[in-house]
Amino acid sequence: MRYLSAADARRQWLLVAANCPGRFAEGALRSARSAAAQHDLAVTLRIDASSSDDDVYGRPLTGRNAAIRGVDGGVLAAMAEAEDRAGFALQVLASRSDGHESIAVGDGYRANASRLMSMAIGGADQRRKVYDVGALTTTRQIGIDATTRLAAPVPALVEMDCARDEMAAVMGTDGHERSLLAPLAVPDPSSGAGSDAGTRERSLLVLAGLAAGHALKAFDLGFPATDPAIFA
C-alpha cells in the first residue's frame, strides 16, 4: 500500500505542476520525492519500479515527449540553458572519472537543450559552448549547495541546480508564476489536436517531468530529500 501510494502521489503531484503553474516547483519537487520513496520501496519489495514510470518523467525529449506547444519561448530558452549547463557540467565530471555520471548522460542533456531551443519560438538562445567550471575543478567528491549550504555529492548538486533553474524558468526568479503561456494557433481539426487547455497541460506535464527527473537523480545521488533542503 505504501508503494502504490507513493506511485500515485508521484503522478498526482506532476498533475498539480501541470495544472497550476503557480505551484509548478512544489508539484515537481514533491513528485520527485514521492518517486524516490517509490524506488526505495521497490527495492524492498523486489519490484521493477521503472515499469511503472510515467512516460514524461525524466525521459529524453524524443518522440511524443518532444511536442511542446503553447509555452512562452523565453521559458523554453531558459530551460534549454539549464539543460545545456548541466550537460556540460556532467561531461566535465565524467572527464575527471568521478564515476557518478557518464559523458553520454551529459550528451543527452545537451540534446534536450537543443530540442527545447528548437521549440522556443521568439526566445533568445542563451546556451554557450563552454561554461565556468571553476567550482567543479576545485571540488572533489563533496560540494556545498549554494542555496542551503548543505553538503552533497557534486553530481547531485549539478542535478538539483538544473531542476531549480528549470523551475525558476516557469515560476520566475521571485518564485511567482510567470506569464508563460504563448498564443496557440487554431488547430487543424483533421490533425486530431486537442483543446488549447489540454495541449498546454500536456506540455507543462512534460516540462514538470523534466525538472522532477533531475531532482530525483539528485536524491538518488545523495542530495537531502527534506523540506528544508528542497524548499529553501
Side-chain angles (χ1 to χ4, degrees):
M1 291 300 294
R2 289 171 58 200
Y3 172 83
L4 294 175
S5 178
D8 184 61
R10 168 189 183 137
R11 292 187 291 269
Q12 294 301 323
W13 278 113
L14 274 188
L15 290 174
V16 168
N19 286 280
C20 184
R23 300 180 68 188
F24 185 87
E26 179 188 8
L29 289 173
R30 291 196 184 280
S31 176
R33 191 161 63 179
S34 297
Q38 177 194 359
H39 287 182
D40 288 343
L41 290 166
V43 173
T44 302
L45 299 171
R46 299 181 181 180
I47 295 175
D48 181 10
S50 63
S51 63
S52 63
D53 285 355
D54 296 331
D55 288 340
V56 300
Y57 202 96
R59 301 294 180 84
L61 291 175
T62 57
R64 63 178 180 174
N65 286 345
I68 299 174
R69 298 178 61 243
V71 178
D72 181 76
V75 171
L76 296 181
M79 294 188 77
E81 182 188 14
E83 286 282 321
D84 197 60
R85 186 188 302 111
F88 181 79
L90 292 182
Q91 290 171 337
V92 171
L93 291 176
S95 69
R96 297 176 62 212
S97 300
D98 280 338
H100 288 289
E101 294 292 348
S102 69
I103 292 178
V105 175
D107 289 343
Y109 289 172
R110 302 197 89 171
N112 279 347
S114 295
R115 295 185 184 100
L116 284 168
M117 200 61 232
S118 70
M119 295 178 282
I121 300 174
D125 191 349
Q126 304 173 60
R127 292 173 298 165
R128 307 172 191 172
K129 290 185 177 180
V130 296
Y131 297 85
D132 181 10
V133 295
L136 297 180
T137 55
T138 58
T139 303
R140 296 308 302 171
Q141 295 181 349
I142 302 296
I144 301 298
D145 180 32
T147 300
T148 63
R149 307 309 300 170
L150 296 173
V154 175
L157 297 180
V158 171
E159 295 285 358
M160 184 53 70
D161 281 344
C162 183
R164 287 173 177 153
D165 288 343
E166 292 184 345
M167 292 182 296
V170 175
M171 301 289 296
T173 55
D174 58 355
H176 293 87
E177 179 181 353
R178 294 180 56 175
S179 177
L180 61 94
L181 299 183
L184 281 167
V186 177
D188 180 356
S190 64
S191 68
S195 65
D196 284 5
T199 298
R200 286 171 173 149
E201 179 185 345
R202 287 190 295 273
S203 296
L204 289 174
L205 193 61
V206 171
L207 299 183
L210 196 61
H214 287 292
L216 175 58
K217 281 195 174 182
F219 299 152
D220 288 343
L221 292 171
F223 192 90
T226 61
D227 276 2
I230 65 177
F231 293 114

